[in-house]
Amino acid sequence: MTATSDLDTPPSFTGTGTIKNPATGAVAGTVRWTDPADVAQVAAGLRAAQKEWEARGPKGRAKVLSRYAVWLGQHRAEIERLLIEETGKSAADAAQEVPLIIMIASYYIKNIEKALAPETRPAALPFLAIKKISVHYRPRPVVGIIAPWNYPVANALMDAIGALAAGCAVLLKPSERTPLTAELLLRGWLDSGAPEVLALVQGAREVSEAVIDSSDFVQFTGSCATGAKVMERAARTLTPVSLELGGKDPMLVLEDADIDLAAHAAVWGAMFNAGQTCVSVERVYVVESVYDQFVAAVVDDVNKLKLGAGEGYHLGAMIDDSQVAVTERHVADALAKGAKVLTGGKRASGSGSFYEPTVLVDVDHTMLCMTEETFGPTLPIMKVSSVDEAIRLANDSPYGLSAAVFSGDPERAKAVALQLDCGAVNINDVISNLMCTTAPMGGWKTSGMGARFGGAEGIRKFCRQEAVVAPRTKVGAGGNYYNNSLKALKRMNTLMTKMALIGPRRSAK
């Protein structure tokens, strides 16, 4: 769920700020910006509180997370009202975030203990059977989360829940465009009786840099360019990072696909949240025999969409005029190079940062709308002569977040999916991998490094591994120590070499 990041904004946020609804211009609320010099102190408080949080163990933390999940469910309406006021979302789009987080929390609550249970490891060779080997997962004290604006609930908490489950404290820095929702989420954490292991700092670039400097692990969601800056900053302290960055997700429509289903999916996948979703459908490749049918179905669907914030609308405003400008630039570039607009193609009339849902055809890879992340409500559709051409074009991108393949033969679709260079592929669906908390969500190429979710790894990613090697018996201890004779050491090393070579010699035959 990628958006431009505040590491690209001037460090001029001081005192208090006013947050306005991009759909109406009305004031959504005010925020007090954090002095960057105070971030280290906030992190120090979290580091102190984290020790007791870790000591509660998986069961103790699960109880707290359960109470928080209940609070989220009870306050869903309040959260969604604020989301709409702060982002200009439609009510339909705002309704997606809280249920997703409750689902993620529910999964982690049930699996914390199993995910963090110490693992026993067998001895690699018989003579090491005198040792007991166990691997333990120890939480990193402070996890810094730098979240974007497009999903103020989901992007803040989908990582925070996993880190808190692991036993970490979390230092959250939301986007300066959507700070209000994060404050409500923090209030809920404290109101549900949780300890002060979740803290919030508000601001732009300098605050983000201070979060990186003060954390033991950084989870960043944002643009590819800013992800590189985060990684560079974290390298100064050798702080590990996980990056979920930009996407230009392709959708492939094969000749045997259910065209109506594919069209419905493409429209929803492209226009959901006004296209401001990292895994949105940003380009479609359709085999020529079904191209006209697919395009007609897409246009019919898009023409039924209602644009506006709040209740009764399909897609809402874009976050601000700068994001509208990106969409305008991509559409203008496409038209100048020969593309055609079948719906939309311009900023909506009236006030607010709205852009009409836009379908583009006669597109190709010379156009920005097919090669750069638009992050707006556009759907460029390209005709291809074969499935092989669709695969080649889908992979012709620096991005590799996710993709979709539509075919009447799921096994054929799976074979195509395994030729696509990306972190996740949905077959006969779009975006659904976000709901699969047992599967990793991560990008290839410039779309990121590391992954969200992934079963136990969604918790373990916030931990350090500690190996403990204990004796089963006193026999054999000290066999390599200097107090043994050189002859005895030589015999032992010869025996170790012979035993270690048994396997390789057998395999080499």
Side-chain angles (χ1 to χ4, degrees):
M1 299 178 180
T2 316
T4 53
S5 168
D6 47 37
L7 261 74
D8 291 323
T9 60
S12 58
F13 289 75
T14 58
T16 59
T18 300
I19 307 303
K20 294 185 178 181
N21 185 330
T24 65
V27 174
T30 59
V31 59
R32 178 168 295 279
W33 305 117
T34 303
D35 186 331
D38 293 337
V39 174
Q41 184 177 353
V42 175
L46 288 172
R47 203 175 301 279
Q50 182 270 335
K51 295 177 182 178
E52 189 274 334
W53 179 239
E54 179 183 0
R56 291 191 183 206
K59 288 184 178 178
R61 295 195 294 274
K63 289 183 179 180
V64 176
L65 289 170
S66 296
R67 292 197 298 268
Y68 188 44
V70 170
W71 185 93
L72 290 170
Q74 292 173 338
H75 292 77
R76 179 180 170 185
E78 179 185 1
I79 295 169
E80 289 172 5
R81 281 196 300 272
L82 182 55
L83 274 176
I84 293 169
E85 291 174 3
E86 190 169 39
T87 66
K89 290 177 185 277
S90 69
D93 287 346
Q96 306 290 322
E97 296 198 49
V98 174
L100 173 63
I101 292 303
I102 292 175
M103 184 178 69
I104 292 171
S106 178
Y107 173 77
Y108 284 145
I109 288 163
K110 291 185 289 187
N111 289 279
I112 299 173
E113 192 166 16
K114 182 178 179 181
L116 297 179
E119 297 178 353
T120 57
R121 302 285 175 91
L125 295 169
F127 66 84
L128 286 175
I130 59 174
K131 301 293 186 182
K132 292 187 292 185
I133 306 168
S134 59
V135 177
H136 302 256
Y137 294 93
R138 300 282 306 282
R140 300 181 187 275
V142 176
V143 170
I145 295 176
I146 302 174
W149 46 260
N150 55 333
Y151 292 95
V153 176
N155 272 318
L157 292 184
M158 65 170 58
D159 301 302
I161 295 294
L164 290 165
C168 312
V170 171
L171 179 58
L172 173 61
K173 211 301 294 181
S175 169
E176 81 285 358
R177 291 180 171 105
T178 54
L180 305 178
T181 301
E183 294 190 346
L184 178 56
L185 298 177
L186 176 62
R187 191 196 84 193
W189 176 256
L190 299 175
D191 286 353
S192 60
E196 294 185 8
V197 289
L198 174 62
L200 187 64
V201 290
Q202 302 279 22
R205 191 184 75 203
E206 288 187 339
V207 173
S208 293
E209 291 172 343
V211 168
I212 297 169
D213 295 344
S214 302
S215 300
D216 304 297
F217 184 96
V218 175
Q219 172 68 51
F220 172 78
T221 305
S223 70
C224 303
T226 309
K229 295 178 183 179
V230 170
M231 197 170 180
E232 180 183 1
R233 184 84 184 193
R236 301 180 186 182
T237 51
L238 295 180
T239 300
V241 300
S242 179
L243 309 174
E244 202 257 84
L245 307 177
K248 192 70 182 176
D249 289 9
M251 175 175 166
L252 284 64
V253 183
L254 281 52
E255 74 280 357
D256 61 350
D258 180 331
I259 298 302
D260 285 339
L261 174 65
H264 295 326
V267 171
W268 183 77
M271 306 303 171
F272 178 66
N273 203 44
Q276 299 171 125
T277 304
C278 67
V279 291
S280 66
V281 176
E282 288 233 357
R283 50 195 171 116
V284 185
Y285 303 98
V286 187
V287 174
E288 58 185 344
S289 61
V290 293
Y291 175 83
D292 290 340
Q293 182 186 355
F294 176 82
V295 170
V298 164
V299 170
D300 184 58
D301 262 13
V302 172
N303 283 332
K304 297 174 184 176
L305 298 180
K306 294 182 179 180
L307 182 63
E311 293 287 347
Y313 299 100
H314 294 99
L315 65 156
M318 302 186 74
I319 193 64
D320 58 25
D321 285 352
S322 67
Q323 204 62 39
V324 174
V326 174
T327 306
E328 289 178 321
R329 178 167 59 87
H330 283 196
V331 172
D333 172 80
L335 295 178
K337 293 173 180 175
K340 296 178 182 176
V341 169
L342 299 185
T343 70
K346 62 183 185 299
R347 183 172 183 147
S349 59
S351 62
S353 300
F354 290 96
Y355 194 89
E356 295 180 350
T358 299
V359 177
L360 295 164
V361 295
D362 296 344
V363 294
D364 59 45
H365 279 216
T366 67
M367 302 173 185
L368 298 177
C369 69
M370 294 295 284
T371 58
E372 291 185 5
E373 185 176 36
T374 305
F375 226 61
T378 61
L379 184 57
I381 308 171
M382 184 173 179
K383 183 191 299 184
V384 294
S385 60
S386 66
V387 176
D388 287 342
E389 184 184 11
I391 294 169
R392 178 180 62 79
L393 290 168
N395 288 335
D396 180 24
S397 174
Y399 300 101
L401 200 52
S402 67
V405 179
F406 281 75
S407 169
D409 183 347
E411 288 304 312
R412 182 189 182 203
K414 185 175 180 181
V416 171
L418 292 174
Q419 299 177 67
L420 300 177
D421 298 335
C422 58
V425 181
N426 295 290
I427 293 175
N428 293 335
D429 203 354
V430 294
I431 307 182
S432 58
N433 61 296
L434 283 179
M435 310 297 170
C436 302
T437 55
T438 58
M441 181 203 170
W444 292 15
K445 298 186 278 188
T446 61
S447 286
M449 59 185 298
R452 287 166 160 164
F453 313 142
E457 289 306 313
I459 297 176
R460 291 176 181 172
K461 67 177 280 186
F462 299 110
C463 296
R464 297 164 291 189
Q465 295 184 48
E466 183 175 357
V468 177
V469 181
R472 295 184 185 275
T473 173
K474 292 183 179 180
V475 175
N480 282 325
Y481 295 171
Y482 290 129
N483 61 323
N484 289 287
S485 69
L486 293 178
K487 185 181 289 187
L489 288 174
K490 185 176 180 180
R491 284 198 304 269
M492 175 169 283
N493 288 327
T494 299
L495 176 62
M496 290 169 61
T497 301
K498 287 181 178 179
M499 295 181 72
L501 282 172
I502 291 174
R505 281 174 173 158
R506 287 175 179 169
S507 299
K509 290 181 180 179

